[in-house]
């Protein structure tokens, strides 16, 4: 497999119009997109829902990346989850052969674009504002939610690439 041709996103300079404190989050999300395309470029559609050793499928990771980013943005905007979002959670990982790799990638890319647009509206002074998470309204901050969105995407990318490697070797 050919290596990524460019330096990692964080080594290419700042993302335009993103506050400096949110640059690492933007870098993580953009890097995730690039690496998803790299790792999935030759991945067979018929293995999308396979669960090696009972672990999560590639499809689950793609759905979960998209869902968590959507939920973190909702909480960051000081809103509650919608019924559609709760329904999405229930369907994460539920086999749906109508979904394609291309569609799942596009959904994540669209959410990253939404996130970057949202970041551009933020003032660094607001990042310490309190936000709550979930039905229990657990405490966080705007910065905590956005940091988690970036960190979480990289964590699931790592899990996905191991799953892809195992399934391709099969």
């Amino acid at each position: 497999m050919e290596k990524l041709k460019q330096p990692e996103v964080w080594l290419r300079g700042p993302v335009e119009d993103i506050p400096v404190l949110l640059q690492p989050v933007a870098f993580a999300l953009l890097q995730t997109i690039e690496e998803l395309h790299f790792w999935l470029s030759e991945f067979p559609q018929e293995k999308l829902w396979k669960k090696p050793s009972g672990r999560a499928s590639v499809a689950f990771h793609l759905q979960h990346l998209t869902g968590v980013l959507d939920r973190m943005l909702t909480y960051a905007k000081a809103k509650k989850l919608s019924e559609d979002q709760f329904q999405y959670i229930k369907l994460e990982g539920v086999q749906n052969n109508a979904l394609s790799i291309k569609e799942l990638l596009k959904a994540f890319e669209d959410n990253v674009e939404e996130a970057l647009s949202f970041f551009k509206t933020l003032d660094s002074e607001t990042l310490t504002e309190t936000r709550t998470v979930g039905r229990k309204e657990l405490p966080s901050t705007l910065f905590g939610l956005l940091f988690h969105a970036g960190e979480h995407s990289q964590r699931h990318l790592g899990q996905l690439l191991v799953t892809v490697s195992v399934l391709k070797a099969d």
Side-chain angles (χ1 to χ4, degrees), residues 26-136:
F27 296 153
L29 294 171
L30 292 168
Q31 187 70 40
T32 300
I33 288 174
E34 288 186 12
E35 291 195 38
L36 285 171
H37 281 279
F38 175 79
W39 288 102
L40 295 172
S41 66
E42 297 174 14
F43 188 73
Q45 177 74 30
E46 64 271 11
K47 293 188 177 187
L48 187 60
W49 294 98
K50 298 286 182 205
K51 297 178 182 180
S53 300
R55 298 293 178 208
S57 68
V58 169
F60 166 79
H61 288 297
L62 290 170
Q63 290 175 316
H64 191 63
L65 281 163
T66 300
V68 168
L69 180 54
D70 179 56
R71 294 188 289 274
M72 292 305 105
L73 290 175
T74 298
Y75 296 137
K77 295 171 185 175
K79 295 181 179 178
K80 305 280 186 205
L81 297 186
S82 69
E83 284 307 312
D84 286 345
Q85 288 170 307
F86 284 115
Q87 186 61 28
Y88 189 91
I89 292 167
K90 290 178 186 175
L91 295 175
E92 285 180 15
V94 175
Q95 188 164 342
N96 177 352
N97 293 327
L99 291 173
S100 69
I101 294 169
K102 184 177 178 179
E103 290 169 315
L104 291 167
L105 285 171
K106 176 83 168 86
F108 181 67
E109 290 170 349
D110 289 349
N111 278 11
V112 170
E113 279 304 312
E114 180 187 343
L116 296 177
S117 293
F118 176 62
F119 296 174
K120 291 175 184 180
T121 70
L122 298 174
D123 180 328
S124 294
E125 300 297 316
T126 65
L127 296 177
T128 58
E129 289 179 0
T130 300
R131 295 291 189 271
T132 60
V133 179
R135 290 179 175 152
K136 294 183 180 179

